[in-house]
Amino acid sequence: MSSRVPYSFIIILGFMLFALFFGAGNLIFPPILGQLAGKNLWIANAGFLVTGVGLPLLGVTAFVFSGEKNLQSLARRVHPLFGIVFTTVLYLAIGPFFAIPRSGNVSFEIGVKPFLSNDASPVPLIIFSILFFTVTCLLSLNPTKIIDIVGRFLTPIKLTFIGLLVVVAIVRPIGKFQEPFKGYTSHVFFKGFQEGYLTMDALVAFVFGIIIVNAIKGKGVTSKKQLMIVCGKSTAIAASLLAIIYSALTYMGASSVEKLGRLDNGAEVLAKVSDYYFGSYGAILLGLMITVACLTTSVGLITACSSFFNELFPAISYKKIAIIMSVFSTLIANIGLTQLIKVSVPVLMTLYPIAISLIFLTFLHYKFNGRPEVYQGSLILTFIVSLFDGLNSAGIRIEVIHHLFTKFLPMYSLGLGWLVPSLIGGLCGYYVSVLRKKDVSNPIRKVG
């Protein structure tokens, strides 16, 4: 019988989930969204909250609902090969390809770049990234409670400073909202929806789900119903906090354009707004906090990814994998934050629809009795459309396919062309599974 969970634990769990999702990297997307959306900031912000807050927490809930032990076992419901491929690609995306290098870039953009001349050479970024990922690697090779302590100590301070920054920005806005930038004049909600992909939180939700399940079970909860209730309440707390802070940061970005101009990325917006209100001392404090927070995030990601790939390839030691990832992340970080975000967009445009479909299929798992054909039909058609979305965002447009999709796929121009094919694929998969079941139960008998 499950034990009663005190509400104080649910609150703590909600704050923990908030802290997991609200990494230092996530700070940079709402401010630049506000800058670009201008007077349309609230519509764009609403779309961003769907994919930046709603989907990640829905992903955590889906994992808890699934009852699986890890992401690979969940993905195996589609097919064993899919379980390996999807999990591997996801860990690479939230690891050495994008999220880990981004942690170094954000630290540099906020903690170092504001104190350099505008025409600085790439040497400072090279030196900083080498130092940053050397420390990351050493801490990853020697796991210690120091990282947890720093993380727990730093999070309240970071939130207090960011909270103070956005409150001042709201009470004493830098300027008036400007006209929206190109791309934010129409279909603004869906533009914000796609910008939420950049957080990558819906992808890491499956990984964070493992932490939440273990934390709840640690309180003696055994029944699935109570697991879902506790998870639902804690995610509601996390969602509220994330929505408030993201919206405030979006507002801050939108009000900064009149005097600061349109900037290259959200890290630059944060740094310049901090300097505007609090001077160089504020910029230094913000830079130190973000750098340590990013370091904590980077160590956590290196550790998680190295552990996964060590299980997948046991012949290669955890130590070697951690070193390889650190070196690779150093190289990727040197393309710069703005370019890294640009490169990540096509991959995320391809991956996100698959992750979203998997989340909803997980909730419907028992409705179609977990038939693999339903998963396969839905995800195959989703992937076909999302792949071309990814290619389009990379500037590789196959005109014939683009014309067909634009003409026949509902909401394709909004970036949601995969939605109807996902539904149709699932229904077709269900029909195929029913036919197969009939063939097995009614074999054709030879008449002789």
Side-chain angles (χ1 to χ4, degrees), residues 256-300:
S256 70
V257 178
E258 185 179 6
K259 291 187 178 179
L260 300 182
R262 285 200 172 92
L263 304 172
D264 289 337
N265 56 67
E268 194 175 359
V269 177
L270 274 174
K272 288 189 177 296
V273 170
S274 179
D275 181 68
Y276 179 87
Y277 285 117
F278 304 118
S280 58
Y281 291 109
I284 291 171
L285 179 60
L286 177 66
L288 287 172
M289 286 192 299
I290 295 300
T291 299
V292 179
C294 283
L295 186 64
T296 307
T297 301
S298 182
V299 171

Side-chain angles (χ1 to χ4, degrees), residues 325-371:
M325 286 198 172
S326 298
V327 172
F328 186 79
S329 297
T330 303
L331 296 174
I332 296 297
N334 276 279
I335 70 173
L337 180 60
T338 302
Q339 189 63 27
L340 179 61
I341 293 172
K342 185 178 179 181
V343 171
S344 70
V345 170
V347 178
L348 297 177
M349 288 290 288
T350 304
L351 275 182
Y352 247 80
I354 298 171
I356 295 170
S357 297
L358 185 59
I359 287 171
F360 285 99
L361 286 168
T362 300
F363 282 118
L364 297 171
H365 180 81
Y366 297 104
K367 295 293 184 182
F368 56 82
N369 296 320
R371 300 168 191 256

Side-chain angles (χ1 to χ4, degrees), residues 100-167:
I100 296 174
R102 189 175 75 186
S103 64
N105 284 136
V106 171
S107 299
F108 178 79
E109 290 278 341
I110 296 178
V112 178
K113 192 175 179 180
F115 306 99
L116 301 175
S117 61
N118 292 330
D119 57 347
S121 71
V123 175
L125 176 57
I126 294 171
I127 295 172
F128 180 86
S129 59
I130 291 172
L131 292 173
F132 183 90
F133 288 108
T134 298
V135 175
T136 295
C137 185
L138 291 173
L139 291 173
S140 301
L141 294 177
N142 301 284
T144 170
K145 290 185 178 179
I146 293 176
I147 291 299
D148 290 332
I149 293 170
V150 170
R152 289 174 185 175
F153 174 72
L154 185 70
T155 297
I157 298 177
K158 179 182 72 175
L159 289 177
T160 301
F161 186 83
I162 295 299
L164 178 63
L165 188 62
V166 296
V167 166

Side-chain angles (χ1 to χ4, degrees), residues 2 18 26 30 41 56 114 121 162 223 234 310 320 336 438:
S2 293
F18 163 76
N26 288 24
L41 81 154
S121 71
I162 295 299
S223 74
S234 61
N310 179 235
K320 286 182 180 178
K438 285 182 179 179

Side-chain angles (χ1 to χ4, degrees), residues 7-82:
Y7 201 74
S8 59
F9 171 76
I10 294 174
I11 294 174
I12 292 171
L13 193 64
F15 274 90
M16 182 182 81
L17 193 55
F18 163 76
L20 285 171
F21 280 116
F22 192 65
N26 288 24
L27 280 169
I28 67 176
F29 297 112
I32 197 65
L33 177 71
Q35 276 224 329
L36 296 173
K39 293 179 179 179
N40 291 334
L41 81 154
W42 297 123
I43 302 173
N45 182 66
F48 181 87
L49 293 182
V50 172
T51 45
V53 177
L55 281 177
L57 295 171
L58 201 61
V60 170
T61 308
F63 182 83
V64 175
F65 179 79
S66 74
E68 299 290 354
K69 63 179 182 178
N70 55 42
L71 173 59
Q72 189 172 344
S73 60
L74 174 62
R76 280 178 63 89
R77 290 179 172 184
V78 184
H79 189 277
L81 181 60
F82 178 84

